């Protein structure tokens, strides 16, 4: 039995299906040989990875040759330094360069792309990126990150409304969790937005306490949980083995 707010009909982007069974996504912040080897060993279990190109940019300008060796569906993310989890270590790359790589990802095999709500509000060229992604059946995740706090529910709902107004396929919020009230906020916002928009969602809390929200939000409509293979891309991520055990037990059991 499922204890989860599924969509009535799942939505597919290339070879990734969202809205029914929750997916575990592995963020790739390093392409060391051991990481590639582990991904290949787990390719029958891992259904989705996220290429965090803002981590990899200075190492792999030929990133798509590297990705093609992995052969796992992926989200392509070239995070803006404004909303980067890397803080002072975030690379400062202009939007036009970011858009160029997003377009390459669309032409290659990316199933989804992820960029920030703040980016499209600043640079209208992201509109064209959305149009091209939709033309190629690539899902568009528009995201909002807050590394300081979890804002009040209405603030987060307004952010999700804005994401939807730009024709996002997947609505995403990630905020810093400091107490249990913040977890309740994230879960409640997830449930309300799922009811309103009936779209795939990604909602999560960051930080040590935020670990709980990464699991609980799945019940209320969050479709993807990030988990790591050794290197986290945000504070509070569970390991892949931890996430798989919990998701299988809570959301895929009889």
């Amino acid at each position: 039995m499922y204890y989860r707010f599924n969509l009535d009909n799942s939505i597919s982007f290339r070879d990734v299906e969202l809205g029914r069974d929750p997916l575990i996504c592995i963020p790739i912040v390093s392409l060391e040989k051991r990481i590639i080897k582990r991904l290949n060993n787990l390719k029958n279990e891992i259904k989705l990875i996220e290429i965090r190109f803002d981590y990899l940019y200075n190492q792999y300008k030929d990133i798509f040759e590297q990705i093609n060796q992995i052969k796992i569906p992926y989200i392509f993310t070239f995070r803006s330094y404004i909303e980067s989890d890397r803080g002072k270590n975030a690379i400062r790359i202009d939007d036009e360069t970011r858009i160029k790589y997003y377009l390459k990802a669309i032409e290659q095999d990316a199933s989804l792309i992820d960029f920030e709500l703040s980016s499209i509000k600043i640079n209208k060229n992201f509109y064209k990126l959305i149009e091209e992604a939709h033309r190629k059946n690539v899902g568009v995740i528009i995201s909002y990150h807050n590394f300081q706090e979890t804002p009040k529910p209405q603030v987060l709902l307004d952010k999700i409304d804005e994401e939807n107004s730009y024709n996002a396929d997947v609505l995403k919020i990630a905020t810093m969790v400091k107490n249990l009230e913040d977890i309740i906020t994230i879960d409640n916002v997830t449930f309300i937005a799922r009811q309103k928009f009936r779209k795939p969602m990604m909602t999560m809390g960051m930080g040590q306490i935020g670990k709980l929200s990464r699991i609980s939000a799945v019940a209320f409509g969050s479709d993807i949980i990030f988990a790591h293979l050794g290197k986290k891309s945000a504070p509070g991520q569970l390991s892949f083995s931890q996430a798989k055990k919990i998701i299988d037990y809570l959301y895929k059991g009889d």
Side-chain angles (χ1 to χ4, degrees), residues 166-177:
Y166 289 111
N167 207 16
D169 300 299
V170 183
L171 311 169
K172 179 183 175 183
I173 58 168
T175 64
M176 183 59 68
V177 167

PDB file of all heavy atoms in Angstrom, residues 166-177:
ATOM      1  N   TYR A 166       6.122  30.378 -15.105  1.00  0.00           N
ATOM      2  CA  TYR A 166       7.119  30.319 -16.178  1.00  0.00           C
ATOM      3  C   TYR A 166       7.065  28.987 -16.927  1.00  0.00           C
ATOM      4  O   TYR A 166       7.968  28.671 -17.699  1.00  0.00           O
ATOM      5  CB  TYR A 166       8.521  30.547 -15.613  1.00  0.00           C
ATOM      6  CG  TYR A 166       8.778  31.967 -15.180  1.00  0.00           C
ATOM      7  CD1 TYR A 166       8.928  32.290 -13.835  1.00  0.00           C
ATOM      8  CD2 TYR A 166       8.867  32.994 -16.119  1.00  0.00           C
ATOM      9  CE1 TYR A 166       9.171  33.600 -13.431  1.00  0.00           C
ATOM     10  CE2 TYR A 166       9.101  34.302 -15.725  1.00  0.00           C
ATOM     11  CZ  TYR A 166       9.255  34.600 -14.378  1.00  0.00           C
ATOM     12  OH  TYR A 166       9.488  35.902 -13.975  1.00  0.00           O
ATOM     13  N   ASN A 167       6.006  28.232 -16.682  1.00  0.00           N
ATOM     14  CA  ASN A 167       5.780  26.965 -17.394  1.00  0.00           C
ATOM     15  C   ASN A 167       6.773  25.884 -16.998  1.00  0.00           C
ATOM     16  O   ASN A 167       7.187  25.066 -17.829  1.00  0.00           O
ATOM     17  CB  ASN A 167       5.809  27.183 -18.909  1.00  0.00           C
ATOM     18  CG  ASN A 167       4.981  26.145 -19.655  1.00  0.00           C
ATOM     19  OD1 ASN A 167       4.151  25.453 -19.066  1.00  0.00           O
ATOM     20  ND2 ASN A 167       5.209  26.020 -20.944  1.00  0.00           N
ATOM     21  N   ALA A 168       7.157  25.862 -15.726  1.00  0.00           N
ATOM     22  CA  ALA A 168       8.013  24.790 -15.225  1.00  0.00           C
ATOM     23  C   ALA A 168       7.253  23.465 -15.268  1.00  0.00           C
ATOM     24  O   ALA A 168       6.054  23.411 -14.990  1.00  0.00           O
ATOM     25  CB  ALA A 168       8.448  25.082 -13.797  1.00  0.00           C
ATOM     26  N   ASP A 169       7.970  22.401 -15.591  1.00  0.00           N
ATOM     27  CA  ASP A 169       7.386  21.057 -15.549  1.00  0.00           C
ATOM     28  C   ASP A 169       7.482  20.465 -14.154  1.00  0.00           C
ATOM     29  O   ASP A 169       6.645  19.652 -13.757  1.00  0.00           O
ATOM     30  CB  ASP A 169       8.116  20.131 -16.526  1.00  0.00           C
ATOM     31  CG  ASP A 169       8.028  20.621 -17.948  1.00  0.00           C
ATOM     32  OD1 ASP A 169       6.899  20.716 -18.461  1.00  0.00           O
ATOM     33  OD2 ASP A 169       9.078  20.914 -18.545  1.00  0.00           O
ATOM     34  N   VAL A 170       8.530  20.835 -13.436  1.00  0.00           N
ATOM     35  CA  VAL A 170       8.768  20.344 -12.081  1.00  0.00           C
ATOM     36  C   VAL A 170       9.010  21.548 -11.180  1.00  0.00           C
ATOM     37  O   VAL A 170       9.838  22.417 -11.485  1.00  0.00           O
ATOM     38  CB  VAL A 170       9.984  19.401 -12.032  1.00  0.00           C
ATOM     39  CG1 VAL A 170      10.170  18.854 -10.617  1.00  0.00           C
ATOM     40  CG2 VAL A 170       9.825  18.247 -13.027  1.00  0.00           C
ATOM     41  N   LEU A 171       8.286  21.610 -10.076  1.00  0.00           N
ATOM     42  CA  LEU A 171       8.366  22.729  -9.141  1.00  0.00           C
ATOM     43  C   LEU A 171       9.270  22.337  -7.981  1.00  0.00           C
ATOM     44  O   LEU A 171       9.091  21.289  -7.375  1.00  0.00           O
ATOM     45  CB  LEU A 171       6.963  23.069  -8.625  1.00  0.00           C
ATOM     46  CG  LEU A 171       5.883  23.216  -9.714  1.00  0.00           C
ATOM     47  CD1 LEU A 171       4.489  23.294  -9.090  1.00  0.00           C
ATOM     48  CD2 LEU A 171       6.164  24.439 -10.580  1.00  0.00           C
ATOM     49  N   LYS A 172      10.251  23.202  -7.674  1.00  0.00           N
ATOM     50  CA  LYS A 172      11.250  22.810  -6.675  1.00  0.00           C
ATOM     51  C   LYS A 172      11.511  23.911  -5.657  1.00  0.00           C
ATOM     52  O   LYS A 172      11.702  25.068  -6.017  1.00  0.00           O
ATOM     53  CB  LYS A 172      12.568  22.436  -7.364  1.00  0.00           C
ATOM     54  CG  LYS A 172      13.683  22.045  -6.387  1.00  0.00           C
ATOM     55  CD  LYS A 172      14.978  21.748  -7.118  1.00  0.00           C
ATOM     56  CE  LYS A 172      16.122  21.480  -6.139  1.00  0.00           C
ATOM     57  NZ  LYS A 172      17.412  21.264  -6.838  1.00  0.00           N
ATOM     58  N   ILE A 173      11.549  23.511  -4.369  1.00  0.00           N
ATOM     59  CA  ILE A 173      12.009  24.395  -3.305  1.00  0.00           C
ATOM     60  C   ILE A 173      12.943  23.609  -2.393  1.00  0.00           C
ATOM     61  O   ILE A 173      12.733  22.428  -2.127  1.00  0.00           O
ATOM     62  CB  ILE A 173      10.858  25.008  -2.474  1.00  0.00           C
ATOM     63  CG1 ILE A 173       9.985  23.911  -1.850  1.00  0.00           C
ATOM     64  CG2 ILE A 173      10.024  25.966  -3.303  1.00  0.00           C
ATOM     65  CD1 ILE A 173       9.016  24.430  -0.804  1.00  0.00           C
ATOM     66  N   ALA A 174      13.992  24.277  -1.924  1.00  0.00           N
ATOM     67  CA  ALA A 174      14.928  23.683  -0.969  1.00  0.00           C
ATOM     68  C   ALA A 174      15.317  24.768   0.018  1.00  0.00           C
ATOM     69  O   ALA A 174      15.825  25.820  -0.381  1.00  0.00           O
ATOM     70  CB  ALA A 174      16.165  23.150  -1.691  1.00  0.00           C
ATOM     71  N   THR A 175      15.070  24.527   1.296  1.00  0.00           N
ATOM     72  CA  THR A 175      15.312  25.550   2.306  1.00  0.00           C
ATOM     73  C   THR A 175      16.054  24.965   3.502  1.00  0.00           C
ATOM     74  O   THR A 175      16.028  23.757   3.735  1.00  0.00           O
ATOM     75  CB  THR A 175      13.985  26.169   2.805  1.00  0.00           C
ATOM     76  OG1 THR A 175      13.217  25.150   3.471  1.00  0.00           O
ATOM     77  CG2 THR A 175      13.169  26.735   1.644  1.00  0.00           C
ATOM     78  N   MET A 176      16.707  25.846   4.270  1.00  0.00           N
ATOM     79  CA  MET A 176      17.420  25.416   5.463  1.00  0.00           C
ATOM     80  C   MET A 176      16.428  25.180   6.602  1.00  0.00           C
ATOM     81  O   MET A 176      15.586  26.045   6.897  1.00  0.00           O
ATOM     82  CB  MET A 176      18.452  26.469   5.875  1.00  0.00           C
ATOM     83  CG  MET A 176      19.296  26.070   7.070  1.00  0.00           C
ATOM     84  SD  MET A 176      20.234  24.537   6.810  1.00  0.00           S
ATOM     85  CE  MET A 176      21.412  25.054   5.551  1.00  0.00           C
ATOM     86  N   VAL A 177      16.523  24.015   7.205  1.00  0.00           N
ATOM     87  CA  VAL A 177      15.621  23.634   8.296  1.00  0.00           C
ATOM     88  C   VAL A 177      16.331  23.795   9.634  1.00  0.00           C
ATOM     89  O   VAL A 177      17.437  23.279   9.826  1.00  0.00           O
ATOM     90  CB  VAL A 177      15.144  22.180   8.114  1.00  0.00           C
ATOM     91  CG1 VAL A 177      14.479  21.667   9.386  1.00  0.00           C
ATOM     92  CG2 VAL A 177      14.185  22.088   6.941  1.00  0.00           C
TER      93      VAL A 177
END
